[in-house]
Amino acid sequence: VQLVESGGGTVQAGGSLRLSCVASGDTYTYNGVGWFRQGPGKEREGVAAIEMDGTLHYGYSIEGRFAISRDNAKNRVYLQMNSLKPEDTAMYFCAASHRVTVSLHAEHFESWGQGTQVTVS
């Protein structure tokens, strides 16, 4: 599975962005999808994940500000980010997993995109 993210950019604190990830290749083989991020000098952090049955997982730092969704017909997954804070500044990565059940552990995901930069000033 190949993944390509888009939608990153620079936004002021309190603003919103919507990230998109499109999958290609053997998309029928993947189940769970997720978003991770890595800020400057920080470890990679799980942001949100969604299983094929719609079960959602969110990182504790998201505090209800982000929402993950997927459109299986279009092989896309989205991350709506609201009330952005400077600490949300990071490279955001889309990831896909063959696992039916996933959580916010990077080792659950086999395919990764190249990332899209989000900067909150």
Side-chain angles (χ1 to χ4, degrees):
V1 175
Q2 291 77 48
L3 304 171
V4 178
E5 305 93 336
S6 62
T10 300
V11 64
Q12 291 186 341
S16 299
L17 282 174
R18 187 192 194 205
L19 305 184
S20 178
C21 173
V22 60
S24 60
D26 295 332
T27 57
Y28 63 91
T29 66
Y30 78 91
N31 293 298
V33 289
W35 287 95
F36 291 75
R37 67 185 182 185
Q38 188 165 14
K42 298 181 180 179
E43 294 185 354
R44 187 167 294 191
E45 173 190 10
V47 175
I50 180 168
E51 298 172 1
M52 186 61 78
D53 66 358
T55 300
L56 304 175
H57 305 273
Y58 288 103
Y60 74 94
S61 63
I62 302 310
E63 300 171 325
R65 299 179 295 121
F66 295 0
I68 187 172
S69 61
R70 64 190 295 172
D71 184 334
N72 293 328
K74 296 181 178 179
N75 294 320
R76 285 185 177 270
V77 61
Y78 304 98
L79 184 68
Q80 178 66 44
M81 305 187 296
N82 299 323
S83 302
L84 283 161
K85 304 175 182 180
E87 50 263 45
D88 295 317
T89 295
M91 184 72 78
Y92 283 72
F93 300 89
C94 175
S97 172
H98 293 105
R99 298 168 60 111
V100 174
T101 301
V102 297
S103 60
L104 296 176
H105 295 292
E107 60 266 26
H108 286 184
F109 297 83
E110 301 90 7
S111 299
W112 292 82
Q114 294 299 306
T116 185
Q117 178 68 38
V118 172
T119 302
V120 185
S121 59

